[in-house]
Amino acid sequence: MISRKNASISKFIIHKVGNKFNDTKNAFSEKLVDFDEASYDLMLPFLLRPFGTVVQSYRFSHHASIALNEINSYSNQIFNDDTTFIETSKHMVTHLYEQSNSANIKTGDVIVVEFEGIEFRDITTNAIGIFKIENKINFFQTYLENNSYDVLVQKGISSKKVDKGCLILNQKDEEGPIVFSIDNNNYDAQYWINHFLNIKYADDANNHTQQYIELCKDFADEIINTSYGKQEQNTFLAKTIDFFKEHETVNIEEFKEELFEDDKHKREFDNYKKTFEDEQNIVMRNRFDVAEAVVTKEKRKIKTDIKLDTNIQIKLDIDAPDASTEYLERGYDDEKKMHYYKVFFNAEN
């Protein structure tokens, strides 16, 4: 995650990107935007706010060398000589245009920004931001004419969220420059992540933790819920989060020993893990450090409700993984020909 509390915009330009499949062309600006105070104060948080909650970072990729990655090369040009900012920003838009491999890829505004004062891991650095605005909203504009007010509809950029964006820090580790990316219109995720930016997740604790929790969520949904029911699915997810919270380092064998009593279930998990790795084209580590921020973020996403067709919901506490097993029983009533849950408690809150 980055901090924007001391960040500022030093250069800002807007271009238009077309789509070669529907005969729309690029349109380039020749001058930087000169903000007034009100628009600047709105623009800076609009662009940087989404990155304040992004935990996972990326690194540039290329089949031969990351030095040949186009966006890596262009951002380095700007970092090394910011007098090239305008011309290099045009090259970035042209590269984006060339990645439009379908008429469904949306045209839009492309904003290229140079930021100063970005804070990341106790280091303050500058960064290049590239943002694509694909969707514009209708809004009413009132105006005075002949001593009376009238109204018309105009289209503009919503200040609530960016459609697509990346932040390239002028900061490297052993894998290369640190990159963050967001995509709120991920109908064409391959186009932005793989084709335009050509980036991959960093080989770090954040990625390893994220991958393993995703594996467990998918396993819980596709295997446990299907074979053993919603209660067992929620119990497994609660115990998974509990395990990650209690361990600084995850050992896969220890994880299986703690969560599965039956060797059959361990084999099911191992088989599913192999399928997951094949589908995602990854190899997961059997031992890795836990990223607490990722666990916290993923915990918020997990839903532990049991929704019944009788308009009743049972909400389980993800912070109490043993409560479901100890205080909730599932059975079948032969007279009513219906399943039931029996809940034990001492007092109502």
Side-chain angles (χ1 to χ4, degrees), residues 246-291:
E246 292 182 353
H247 292 77
E248 293 183 357
T249 300
V250 166
N251 180 298
I252 302 307
E253 295 304 319
E254 291 179 2
F255 174 84
K256 291 189 295 183
E257 285 296 326
E258 186 162 326
L259 267 75
F260 302 113
E261 295 181 0
D262 195 323
D263 287 341
K264 172 190 174 183
H265 298 153
K266 294 176 187 177
R267 289 192 298 270
E268 286 179 332
F269 185 79
D270 286 337
N271 292 334
Y272 189 85
K273 177 173 174 287
K274 292 177 182 177
T275 302
F276 182 86
E277 289 175 320
D278 290 341
E279 290 177 349
Q280 301 294 323
N281 194 27
I282 57 174
V283 177
M284 302 178 70
R285 296 193 179 189
N286 291 324
R287 185 181 181 89
F288 55 87
D289 293 333
V290 173

Side-chain angles (χ1 to χ4, degrees), residues 159-294:
S159 61
K160 291 184 178 180
K161 68 177 183 179
V162 173
D163 292 314
K164 288 175 167 59
C166 72
L167 195 64
I168 305 158
L169 304 188
N170 191 14
Q171 187 70 33
K172 299 180 180 180
D173 59 16
E174 61 275 7
E175 293 185 79
I178 298 165
V179 183
F180 293 94
S181 179
I182 56 171
D183 188 352
N184 288 309
N185 293 337
N186 55 9
Y187 68 95
D188 55 356
Q190 299 298 314
Y191 154 76
W192 182 255
I193 293 288
N194 292 343
H195 300 155
F196 172 58
L197 294 175
N198 192 4
I199 52 178
K200 62 181 181 180
Y201 280 121
D203 185 20
D204 59 11
N206 289 329
N207 185 36
H208 303 150
T209 304
Q210 180 77 40
Q211 285 180 344
Y212 208 79
I213 292 178
E214 289 295 334
L215 163 67
C216 292
K217 287 164 61 177
D218 288 358
F219 176 76
D221 184 49
E222 296 183 19
I223 304 300
I224 298 181
N225 184 32
T226 301
S227 301
Y228 307 104
K230 193 72 175 178
Q231 180 183 357
E232 291 298 324
Q233 176 189 9
N234 291 336
T235 299
F236 172 78
L237 289 174
K239 288 184 176 181
T240 296
I241 295 297
D242 196 54
F243 184 91
F244 275 77
K245 286 165 55 181
E246 292 182 353
H247 292 77
E248 293 183 357
T249 300
V250 166
N251 180 298
I252 302 307
E253 295 304 319
E254 291 179 2
F255 174 84
K256 291 189 295 183
E257 285 296 326
E258 186 162 326
L259 267 75
F260 302 113
E261 295 181 0
D262 195 323
D263 287 341
K264 172 190 174 183
H265 298 153
K266 294 176 187 177
R267 289 192 298 270
E268 286 179 332
F269 185 79
D270 286 337
N271 292 334
Y272 189 85
K273 177 173 174 287
K274 292 177 182 177
T275 302
F276 182 86
E277 289 175 320
D278 290 341
E279 290 177 349
Q280 301 294 323
N281 194 27
I282 57 174
V283 177
M284 302 178 70
R285 296 193 179 189
N286 291 324
R287 185 181 181 89
F288 55 87
D289 293 333
V290 173
E292 184 178 348
V294 174

Side-chain angles (χ1 to χ4, degrees), residues 30-131:
E30 299 299 333
K31 293 182 180 180
L32 301 177
V33 172
D34 185 14
F35 286 103
D36 59 45
E37 184 176 354
S39 57
Y40 179 90
D41 289 344
L42 190 61
M43 183 63 72
L44 181 61
F46 167 66
L47 297 177
L48 289 181
R49 188 186 302 115
F51 299 104
T53 56
V54 173
V55 176
Q56 286 182 275
S57 62
Y58 294 85
R59 300 297 180 272
F60 286 116
S61 179
H62 194 275
H63 68 275
S65 168
I66 64 168
L68 300 176
N69 179 294
E70 288 87 345
I71 299 302
N72 181 32
S73 175
Y74 293 145
S75 58
N76 278 332
Q77 288 180 34
I78 296 174
F79 288 139
N80 294 331
D81 182 6
D82 64 2
T83 63
T84 67
F85 178 83
I86 294 177
E87 288 305 312
T88 304
S89 70
K90 295 178 185 178
H91 295 322
M92 290 175 169
V93 174
T94 300
H95 175 59
L96 180 61
Y97 174 84
E98 292 300 327
Q99 307 317 307
S100 58
N101 54 11
S102 164
N104 294 326
I105 300 296
K106 295 181 180 180
T107 61
D109 298 340
V110 178
I111 300 171
V112 183
V113 190
E114 184 172 9
F115 296 102
E116 305 287 345
I118 299 293
E119 297 178 17
F120 175 71
R121 294 178 182 171
D122 300 323
I123 296 172
T124 301
T125 185
N126 57 328
I128 303 298
I130 307 170
F131 305 88

